[in-house]
Amino acid sequence: MALSVFDDQLSYPQQQELNEVLGTATKAWDELKHHMVSHFSTISEEWVFSGKNYGWSLRLRHNKRTILYMTPSDGCFKVGFALGKKAVNAALKSDLPDTIYSLIKESPKYAEGRGVRITVNNLEDVKTVVKIAELKMTH
């Protein structure tokens, strides 16, 4: 099974399908997108299919730099980041929850940085994701 509930390469998610899958997390999805657009003036959104193991994700980019990926799941969504060394150091010195510190420390290292994936269920989770996005973009 793919990371995303949308795993048909020939059909990217439509808004109505997305809302049905996300359920109560739809508000958090919309709030995260709204915050990114209002905080980083030029945001582009692009649905990308990353293969049968991952399925469809929404990529948010500022100019040519990817900020994050939003991957729909059943009743929630996952936000993926590639955090460079400076962003990781800044995150570990910030006031993020302890669970996020552990998640960042244990995340696998890739050429692009640490691959961090956070599950978002509600608006409180969005606040944490926003902090990480801001740290990424300033470091």
Side-chain angles (χ1 to χ4, degrees):
M1 183 175 168
L3 182 63
S4 173
V5 295
F6 298 105
D7 59 1
D8 180 1
Q9 182 176 3
L10 301 177
S11 176
Y12 72 90
Q14 301 298 313
Q15 190 63 50
Q16 183 177 344
E17 295 172 307
L18 181 63
N19 292 347
E20 289 171 8
V21 164
L22 293 175
T24 57
T26 300
K27 187 179 266 189
W29 177 279
D30 293 340
E31 177 60 28
L32 179 55
K33 283 183 19 177
H34 173 75
H35 180 84
M36 292 294 109
V37 168
S38 64
H39 193 72
F40 302 104
S41 58
T42 54
I43 293 291
S44 64
E45 299 178 10
E46 179 186 14
W47 282 103
V48 293
F49 187 82
S50 299
K52 66 179 183 173
N53 292 330
Y54 298 98
W56 287 97
S57 293
L58 183 66
R59 177 172 54 194
L60 299 184
R61 299 181 81 171
H62 176 62
N63 298 324
K64 293 184 178 184
R65 185 174 182 194
T66 298
I67 302 173
L68 55 83
Y69 290 87
M70 299 169 66
T71 306
S73 294
D74 204 11
C76 65
F77 61 98
K78 295 179 181 7
V79 175
F81 292 98
L83 298 177
K85 189 174 184 176
K86 290 179 184 178
V88 168
N89 290 338
L92 296 177
K93 293 176 185 173
S94 71
D95 62 347
L96 292 168
D98 290 340
T99 54
I100 300 300
Y101 288 132
S102 297
L103 186 65
I104 292 171
K105 286 180 184 177
E106 296 167 7
S107 295
K109 294 179 184 178
Y110 301 104
E112 317 69 46
R114 287 189 183 261
V116 178
R117 192 173 286 133
I118 299 170
T119 301
V120 176
N121 295 295
N122 53 48
L123 294 174
E124 195 62 34
D125 296 335
V126 170
K127 291 178 185 177
T128 299
V129 168
V130 164
K131 284 182 185 179
I132 296 170
E134 290 173 352
L135 287 169
K136 174 182 175 146
M137 297 305 287
T138 57
H139 292 91

